[in-house]
Amino acid sequence: MSKYPKVAVFGGGSWATAIVKMLCENLDQVGWYVRNETTIDYIKENEHNPNYLSSAQFNIEQLNLSSDINKMVAYADVLIFAIPSAFIKTELDKITEEYSSKIIFSAIKGIIPESGLIVGEHFNQKLNVPLNNIGVISGPCHAEEVAMERLSYLTIACRDTEKAELISNCLSSHYIKTKTSDDIIGTEYAAMLKNIFAIAAGIAHGLGYGDNFQSVLMSNSIREMKRFIKKRHKMKRNINNSAYLGDLLVTGYSIFSRNRMFGNMIGKGYTVKSAMMEMSMIAEGYYASKSAQLLNKINPAKTPIIDAVYAILYQNKNPKTVFKRLTEQLD
Amino acid sequence: MSKYPKVAVFGGGSWATAIVKMLCENLDQVGWYVRNETTIDYIKENEHNPNYLSSAQFNIEQLNLSSDINKMVAYADVLIFAIPSAFIKTELDKITEEYSSKIIFSAIKGIIPESGLIVGEHFNQKLNVPLNNIGVISGPCHAEEVAMERLSYLTIACRDTEKAELISNCLSSHYIKTKTSDDIIGTEYAAMLKNIFAIAAGIAHGLGYGDNFQSVLMSNSIREMKRFIKKRHKMKRNINNSAYLGDLLVTGYSIFSRNRMFGNMIGKGYTVKSAMMEMSMIAEGYYASKSAQLLNKINPAKTPIIDAVYAILYQNKNPKTVFKRLTEQLD
């Protein structure tokens, strides 16, 4: 028997494609659910994803591609979901196969809008998957750099250390180093919040603030992230570990970040609608800022940056005015 | 009487020039010691510094310029030193005027090579200035953005809160926000260490590592900074405040950072000597890495990044090999 379990990745975006690539470094066969049949045909013929991360080349013989989600659920022991949170519920609703006893890892950054829960909680509370079978794959990791095989570090969080180790082994390679963690809740919230802070960084840049301010914004963001997560799930964690601070920085500072790009357009005067139309990818932070705002009503933490982003994106407030006020609250 | 004291800035570099500019927003007259008489003549005629930050314009009537350091010491109640640490001792040796009762603020990032002390400690231990009269002006703040009047935040650290407030008032303006702190030792060490980490970031970039790795490097750097400072001076401090984390980020991520630039050249294969010759400015982190290495022999903290930079810059070790090993020690 292989030392690796049967793994399937669910999603056709850039992060899903990157995870399939990582798995292909170790596994003889990788399951890959892609909704669109035309995309599957294209991948089979051209050995890369036509829409996202097209520079990542695959050996087709390693791929078990299917547009039938139930077939893929039945195939795998480990299901890795990398579908944007805004669409995940629609996809999960299609599943009729029993999977509550399988290992479920989420590579999704965000909250499931329909339940208001982070993905791990949703699987546990709504779909009866035991918490010990649920894990999270987190950055700091831009998919684009995985395609280029540039050294990247992942954090694999699961309450069951053995399962975290198992998935770590599947993903590690000469360009991927992994670290395991038992803070699945904190890791998920960090992955969600960092997108909001990246939007804030983008707005600041779009408004003409410079590098000096950017560093103050990031320094305040990590403190805000710590306060927010502590209110949701209190445990001993070092917020400066790569899964929290590293993930914030790679998103807040990188040119690859679609959230930062989205914020930048807002700062430059685009409306939310026009900025969204201009981008072909979803800015997860848009949905995250609404969810964070809602969550923070219960046992609230002080979150001036999240509040500012929410006011701009959902309350039609003027970015310049909101940020002027925000600068008074930072230090 | 004016609500502001008589202040003089010592130094002709970009940071000194930026501080003079900030002071000119509030004070009727600002003392400015510049070693080179020709530079003074140029400033008087052209209203800007010819060598550094030349876009910052001055009203000459506000400036009390002199190349006589003793005249400037006699003039001021508050002395702000912004001379690179490698040259500070030579300048201080020229002073015959008594100044142990004056307020001394350091805007220098680094260790005085001759004494192996950070600037505050040097003034206290070697020059008998009482600790309560000594303070530090710290970033995150690139001088270049001060010239552009882009919003920046400074931390003013002094054990005597009133003096910190006094200097804060002198420096605050529509583009400068200030915060006071009593952690003068930690603030100085942070300002020194961040330059070493910025060199590391530059080396990584020069070697071809990407944004994913950069964020892991910064996440490890702040944890390393915390460990190092704690061993030197233990007190309650939030390492994620702007004076520590913010200062690290602005230096590690900004294109303006000469330390990052220096590291980048080393990573690309320049020798230390040729990289230094290529740059017209001093990379403070070069000296800082040696000092940090020495300091860390007493009550050592785990500092793999500082060790790596030291090995490359002073022990002629191959950057590629050293960083390959370093990547195994990060997480």
Side-chain angles (χ1 to χ4, degrees), chain B residues 77-147:
Chain B
D77 308 317
V78 176
L79 319 181
I80 299 178
F81 287 94
I83 296 163
S85 57
F87 310 133
I88 180 84
K89 179 137 190 316
T90 315
E91 291 296 323
L92 291 177
D93 284 347
K94 293 184 194 166
I95 304 179
T96 50
E97 282 283 332
E98 178 60 30
Y99 63 97
S100 62
S101 64
K102 305 210 175 199
I103 301 174
I104 314 277
F105 268 73
S106 162
I108 300 163
K109 283 120 197 178
I111 287 225
I112 298 185
E114 292 86 349
S115 63
L117 297 170
I118 47 175
V119 183
E121 289 175 337
H122 185 89
F123 274 106
N124 178 238
Q125 294 177 27
K126 302 288 174 188
L127 301 163
N128 304 316
V129 180
L131 261 185
N132 272 2
N133 280 357
I134 299 171
V136 170
I137 299 170
S138 186
C141 195
H142 278 296
E144 288 76 2
E145 292 198 345
V146 173

Side-chain angles (χ1 to χ4, degrees), chain B residues 204-221:
Chain B
H205 188 257
L207 286 170
Y209 290 91
D211 291 347
N212 289 351
F213 179 71
Q214 207 67 261
S215 68
V216 171
L217 185 65
M218 286 296 117
S219 146
N220 280 270
S221 295

Side-chain angles (χ1 to χ4, degrees), chain A residues 54-110:
Chain A
S54 50
S55 64
Q57 283 291 320
F58 295 99
N59 170 2
I60 293 310
E61 301 194 350
Q62 271 183 288
L63 301 180
N64 175 14
L65 279 154
S66 176
S67 63
D68 179 343
I69 197 166
N70 281 296
K71 197 176 142 197
M72 208 41 74
V73 170
Y75 159 79
D77 308 316
V78 177
L79 319 181
I80 299 178
F81 287 95
I83 296 163
S85 58
F87 309 133
I88 180 84
K89 179 141 190 315
T90 316
E91 291 298 323
L92 291 177
D93 285 348
K94 295 183 193 166
I95 303 179
T96 50
E97 282 282 332
E98 178 61 28
Y99 63 98
S100 62
S101 64
K102 304 211 174 198
I103 301 174
I104 313 277
F105 268 73
S106 162
I108 300 163
K109 283 119 199 181

Side-chain angles (χ1 to χ4, degrees), chain A residues 140-142 145 150-153 177 179 208 210-212 215 219 223 240-242 245-246 253-254 327-328 331, chain B residues 140-142 145 150-153 177 179 208 210-212 215 219 223 240-242 246 250 254 327-328 331:
Chain A
C141 196
H142 279 296
E145 292 199 346
R150 281 185 161 175
L151 183 65
S152 305
Y153 292 64
K177 292 192 190 297
K179 176 181 181 165
D211 291 346
N212 288 351
S215 68
S219 147
R223 286 177 270 155
N240 288 340
N241 281 347
S242 291
L245 178 63
Y253 275 109
S254 182
T327 63
E328 306 292 336
D331 64 10
Chain B
C141 195
H142 278 296
E145 292 198 345
R150 282 185 159 174
L151 183 65
S152 306
Y153 292 64
K177 291 191 191 296
K179 177 180 180 166
D211 291 347
N212 289 351
S215 68
S219 146
R223 286 177 270 154
N240 288 340
N241 281 349
S242 291
V250 84
S254 180
T327 63
E328 306 292 335
D331 65 9

Side-chain angles (χ1 to χ4, degrees), chain A residues 57-276:
Chain A
Q57 283 291 320
F58 295 99
N59 170 2
I60 293 310
E61 301 194 350
Q62 271 183 288
L63 301 180
N64 175 14
L65 279 154
S66 176
S67 63
D68 179 343
I69 197 166
N70 281 296
K71 197 176 142 197
M72 208 41 74
V73 170
Y75 159 79
D77 308 316
V78 177
L79 319 181
I80 299 178
F81 287 95
I83 296 163
S85 58
F87 309 133
I88 180 84
K89 179 141 190 315
T90 316
E91 291 298 323
L92 291 177
D93 285 348
K94 295 183 193 166
I95 303 179
T96 50
E97 282 282 332
E98 178 61 28
Y99 63 98
S100 62
S101 64
K102 304 211 174 198
I103 301 174
I104 313 277
F105 268 73
S106 162
I108 300 163
K109 283 119 199 181
I111 288 224
I112 297 183
E114 292 85 349
S115 63
L117 298 170
I118 47 175
V119 183
E121 289 174 338
H122 184 91
F123 275 107
N124 178 240
Q125 293 176 28
K126 301 288 173 187
L127 302 162
N128 304 318
V129 180
L131 260 186
N132 272 0
N133 280 358
I134 298 171
V136 170
I137 299 169
S138 186
C141 196
H142 279 296
E144 288 76 2
E145 292 199 346
V146 173
M148 295 187 257
E149 303 193 357
R150 281 185 161 175
L151 183 65
S152 305
Y153 292 64
L154 293 181
T155 293
I156 316 297
C158 185
R159 291 213 182 156
D160 182 336
T161 326
E162 272 185 38
K163 285 172 190 139
E165 291 289 349
L166 181 76
I167 306 305
S168 284
N169 290 337
C170 294
L171 295 165
S172 298
S173 66
H174 67 98
Y175 57 90
I176 300 289
K177 292 192 190 297
T178 55
K179 176 181 181 165
T180 59
S181 154
D182 60 352
D183 182 22
I184 158 169
I185 306 289
T187 304
E188 274 211 71
Y189 276 119
M192 164 201 162
L193 294 172
K194 63 125 196 267
N195 288 329
I196 308 173
F197 299 130
I199 290 181
I203 296 174
H205 187 257
L207 286 170
Y209 290 91
D211 291 346
N212 288 351
F213 179 72
Q214 206 67 261
S215 68
V216 170
L217 185 64
M218 286 296 118
S219 147
N220 279 270
S221 295
I222 192 68
R223 286 177 270 155
E224 185 164 320
M225 182 189 277
K226 187 179 178 175
R227 288 194 300 268
F228 183 99
I229 297 178
K230 200 175 165 188
K231 291 282 183 177
R232 310 283 90 77
H233 180 61
K234 200 172 174 171
M235 68 175 274
K236 199 174 151 55
R237 63 172 67 86
N238 186 347
I239 203 75
N240 288 340
N241 281 347
S242 291
Y244 316 102
L245 178 63
D247 209 15
L248 170 68
L249 295 181
V250 84
T251 312
Y253 275 109
S254 182
I255 49 159
F256 292 125
S257 163
R258 67 196 87 157
N259 288 287
R260 197 175 189 284
M261 233 185 295
F262 175 71
N264 190 32
M265 292 169 84
I266 301 292
K268 285 200 185 303
Y270 280 69
T271 62
V272 171
K273 213 176 234 169
S274 57
M276 283 210 173

Side-chain angles (χ1 to χ4, degrees), chain B residues 178-223:
Chain B
T178 55
K179 177 180 180 166
T180 59
S181 154
D182 60 352
D183 182 23
I184 156 168
I185 305 288
T187 305
E188 273 212 70
Y189 276 120
M192 165 201 160
L193 294 172
K194 63 125 195 268
N195 288 329
I196 309 173
F197 299 130
I199 290 181
I203 295 174
H205 188 257
L207 286 170
Y209 290 91
D211 291 347
N212 289 351
F213 179 71
Q214 207 67 261
S215 68
V216 171
L217 185 65
M218 286 296 117
S219 146
N220 280 270
S221 295
I222 193 68
R223 286 177 270 154

